[in-house]
């Protein structure tokens, strides 16, 4: 798979996506507007580093953003170059997973959105499934076990170099308040790969709920189960 990741067209498409998404600079201060020139000048060198497994991701910049409940959420902002390469991996990785994801998952997927999830919810309710269990997985992004995620990816993509690269990104330290912190678990929200990797993990939950015969909807780490009485809801 790494050959498809580093293909010129894939890297170019990834660069355009990162530039279009804008976003703040990472720890090195490089702005998204500088990425195209960097790619043109250094693409061959970066590709060689990836293939030879000598590439070293930079630290992630930690940014606290307020939540409606008064608490904060930690965003992890990779450098623009790492965002470019993560986007290139995501574009190839999604090909292996998207068709196997359950239809009840609506977050961060091609041709899926929140409006569709709301309409599906209304459909369940209109069909009589009016007892609803609404669940938010507490600290899901902070608690993801790297080895479990990597195993799920390996089951689909048996490319040692791609797995090595993803593991490097998962383990990259995060810079908070001027100090570097090691990471042994969790998916910092804010990277191009984190939405897809969260869906890879939570698809296991989707498949479990489907096996149990539940009607449900999931959007990222929020999901609701719809039943016709309070008994199965409990």
């Amino acid at each position: 798979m790494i050959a498809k990741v580093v293909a010129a067209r894939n890297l170019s498409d990834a660069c355009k996506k990162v530039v279009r998404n804008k976003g703040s600079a990472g720890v090195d201060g490089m702005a998204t507007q500088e990425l195209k020139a960097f790619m043109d000048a250094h693409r061959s060198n970066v590709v060689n580093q990836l293939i030879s497994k000598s590439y070293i991701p930079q630290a992630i910049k930690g940014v606290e953003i307020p939540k409606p409940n008064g608490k904060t959420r930690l965003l992890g902002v990779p450098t623009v170059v790492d965002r470019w390469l993560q986007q290139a991996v995501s574009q190839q990785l999604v090909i292996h997973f998207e068709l196997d994801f359950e239809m009840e998952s609506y977050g961060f997927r091609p041709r899926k959105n929140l409006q569709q999830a709301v309409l599906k919810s209304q459909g369940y309710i209109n069909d009589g499934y009016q007892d609803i269990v609404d669940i938010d997985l507490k600290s899901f992004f902070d608690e993801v076990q790297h080895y479990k995620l990597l195993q799920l990816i390996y089951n689909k993509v048996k490319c040692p170099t791609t797995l090595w690269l993803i593991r490097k990104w998962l383990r990259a330290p995060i810079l908070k308040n001027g100090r570097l912190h090691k990471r042994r678990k969790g998916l910092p929200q804010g990277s191009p790969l984190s939405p897809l990797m969260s869906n890879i993990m939570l698809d296991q939950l989707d498949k479990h709920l489907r096996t149990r015969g539940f009607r449900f909807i999931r959007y990222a780490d929020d999901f609701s189960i719809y039943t016709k009485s309070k008994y199965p809801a409990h």
Side-chain angles (χ1 to χ4, degrees), residues 83-166:
R83 297 210 296 270
W84 165 45
L85 298 177
Q86 287 192 30
Q87 179 63 36
V89 169
S90 179
Q91 288 170 181
Q92 294 303 316
L93 199 59
V94 71
I95 295 171
H96 294 265
F97 283 94
E98 176 59 29
L99 290 178
D100 280 345
F101 286 156
E102 300 300 325
M103 63 182 182
E104 292 86 355
S105 167
Y106 289 89
F108 310 112
R109 294 182 60 191
R111 298 174 296 280
K112 293 270 195 173
N113 56 50
L114 186 57
Q115 183 180 11
Q116 292 172 350
V118 171
L119 290 173
K120 186 66 174 178
S121 173
Q122 291 175 341
Y124 284 147
I125 293 170
N126 291 338
D127 289 340
Y129 294 86
Q130 298 182 0
D131 284 281
I132 304 169
V133 181
D134 190 27
I135 302 172
D136 181 6
L137 296 173
K138 184 179 179 181
S139 302
F140 164 75
F141 284 91
D142 297 331
E143 298 298 327
V144 170
Q145 297 292 330
H146 293 169
Y147 75 93
K148 291 182 179 179
L149 173 60
L150 290 168
Q151 184 62 54
L152 291 171
I153 296 173
Y154 178 77
N155 291 343
K156 289 270 190 183
V157 182
K158 293 178 171 58
C159 175
T161 305
T162 301
L163 268 292
W164 169 85
L165 182 57
I166 292 173

Side-chain angles (χ1 to χ4, degrees), residues 29-216:
M30 181 187 289
T32 54
Q33 301 96 310
E34 302 174 70
L35 179 58
K36 177 63 166 58
F38 177 91
M39 182 186 73
D40 291 342
H42 302 284
R43 180 171 59 191
S44 296
N45 185 44
V46 171
V47 168
N48 288 335
Q49 289 179 14
L50 294 175
I51 293 174
S52 64
K53 295 184 181 179
S54 60
Y55 182 80
I56 301 176
Q58 296 196 61
I60 300 166
K61 182 171 71 174
V63 180
E64 298 278 358
I65 61 169
K67 296 171 67 174
N69 61 6
K71 297 182 180 180
T72 61
R73 172 182 290 131
L74 179 65
L75 285 187
V77 182
T79 63
V80 171
V81 172
D82 278 314
R83 297 210 296 270
W84 165 45
L85 298 177
Q86 287 192 30
Q87 179 63 36
V89 169
S90 179
Q91 288 170 181
Q92 294 303 316
L93 199 59
V94 71
I95 295 171
H96 294 265
F97 283 94
E98 176 59 29
L99 290 178
D100 280 345
F101 286 156
E102 300 300 325
M103 63 182 182
E104 292 86 355
S105 167
Y106 289 89
F108 310 112
R109 294 182 60 191
R111 298 174 296 280
K112 293 270 195 173
N113 56 50
L114 186 57
Q115 183 180 11
Q116 292 172 350
V118 171
L119 290 173
K120 186 66 174 178
S121 173
Q122 291 175 341
Y124 284 147
I125 293 170
N126 291 338
D127 289 340
Y129 294 86
Q130 298 182 0
D131 284 281
I132 304 169
V133 181
D134 190 27
I135 302 172
D136 181 6
L137 296 173
K138 184 179 179 181
S139 302
F140 164 75
F141 284 91
D142 297 331
E143 298 298 327
V144 170
Q145 297 292 330
H146 293 169
Y147 75 93
K148 291 182 179 179
L149 173 60
L150 290 168
Q151 184 62 54
L152 291 171
I153 296 173
Y154 178 77
N155 291 343
K156 289 270 190 183
V157 182
K158 293 178 171 58
C159 175
T161 305
T162 301
L163 268 292
W164 169 85
L165 182 57
I166 292 173
R167 187 177 186 276
K168 283 286 187 181
W169 282 322
L170 289 173
R171 291 297 181 91
I174 189 164
L175 181 67
K176 294 189 294 184
N177 302 318
R179 294 182 59 188
L180 283 175
H181 299 263
K182 292 181 178 180
R183 296 172 50 243
R184 291 295 178 262
K185 63 179 180 178
L187 294 174
Q189 298 179 69
S191 77
L193 264 176
S194 62
L196 174 58
M197 291 197 290
S198 67
N199 274 334
I200 289 172
M201 284 293 291
L202 290 171
D203 183 60
Q204 304 303 298
L205 170 64
D206 297 343
K207 286 178 167 43
H208 174 72
L209 293 175
R210 178 173 275 276
T211 300
R212 295 284 302 275
F214 287 118
R215 285 163 173 78
F216 67 96

